[in-house]
Amino acid sequence: MARNKISAYTLLETVVIIGVFSALALIFLPVSIEQIQSSKIESVVKDVQSLIYSQSQSAYAYKANKSYGIAFYSDHYIVFSGESLSEADSQTRYDLSSEIKINNINFNDSGTELRFAKGTFRPHTFGSLEISTSYSTFQITINTEGLILVNKL
């Protein structure tokens, strides 16, 4: 009678493999989480940059013969048409996810609104703001000529 030998892993081999995979997970999990957070904030920064540009172009083109602007707050921003947010004809609110915040809003009129007067792409207000998470911070600066500069701090 011939014996069939069953091939199998020993308990020690299984524990070693589980240990190796656990160590790899501990190394790569924080890196993955940081990369996900980084892509979220980069997306918000690009969206804000695009909206600033769009609002300046709408004002320059006399679109609907109105002024345009964006009001920034710590957890959201509001895109509006009109002389200011309080006099806005229309507005759209964009909420940020809980881990993303807008800080250090420094415009020349000490307010939170970036405004573009009709007929010009130059902003009526200019300055900078920071968009941040616990992992990274970006500074968006809008100069007197309407140029939008983005720096990772």
Side-chain angles (χ1 to χ4, degrees):
M1 176 171 189
R3 288 184 148 191
N4 291 337
K5 186 170 181 169
I6 300 174
S7 167
Y9 294 107
T10 65
L11 180 61
L12 179 62
E13 290 171 326
T14 305
V15 169
V16 168
I17 296 298
I18 290 172
V20 168
F21 282 122
S22 298
L24 289 174
L26 286 173
I27 292 170
F28 291 113
L29 189 61
V31 173
S32 300
I33 291 172
E34 185 175 335
Q35 185 63 32
I36 291 168
Q37 291 292 338
S38 178
S39 68
K40 284 182 182 178
I41 191 171
E42 287 173 8
S43 175
V44 169
V45 168
K46 287 178 183 179
D47 288 347
V48 168
Q49 184 179 9
S50 176
L51 283 170
I52 292 169
Y53 179 77
S54 174
Q55 292 294 84
S56 72
Q57 294 302 305
S58 292
Y60 178 69
Y62 282 96
K63 186 174 178 185
N65 198 26
K66 296 179 184 177
S67 297
Y68 291 84
I70 305 173
F72 295 97
Y73 301 95
S74 64
D75 62 347
H76 68 281
Y77 53 95
I78 301 171
V79 176
F80 63 89
S81 63
E83 294 298 320
S84 67
L85 182 59
S86 62
E87 301 171 12
D89 299 329
S90 66
Q91 55 183 282
T92 305
R93 178 180 168 138
Y94 296 89
D95 291 314
L96 301 173
S97 62
S98 61
E99 65 269 2
I100 298 175
K101 298 290 179 205
I102 298 176
N103 312 339
N104 300 328
I105 303 167
N106 297 311
F107 294 128
N108 64 319
D109 66 351
S110 300
T112 63
E113 294 180 12
L114 175 63
R115 293 175 287 145
F116 296 92
K118 57 186 169 185
T120 180
F121 57 85
R122 291 188 174 112
H124 179 66
T125 54
F126 54 89
S128 65
L129 59 97
E130 293 177 359
I131 300 176
S132 61
T133 64
S134 57
Y135 294 103
S136 60
T137 300
F138 286 85
Q139 182 181 50
I140 299 177
T141 303
I142 302 91
N143 69 15
T144 57
E145 297 298 316
L147 297 176
I148 305 164
L149 307 169
V150 177
N151 295 312
K152 185 172 184 179
L153 303 178

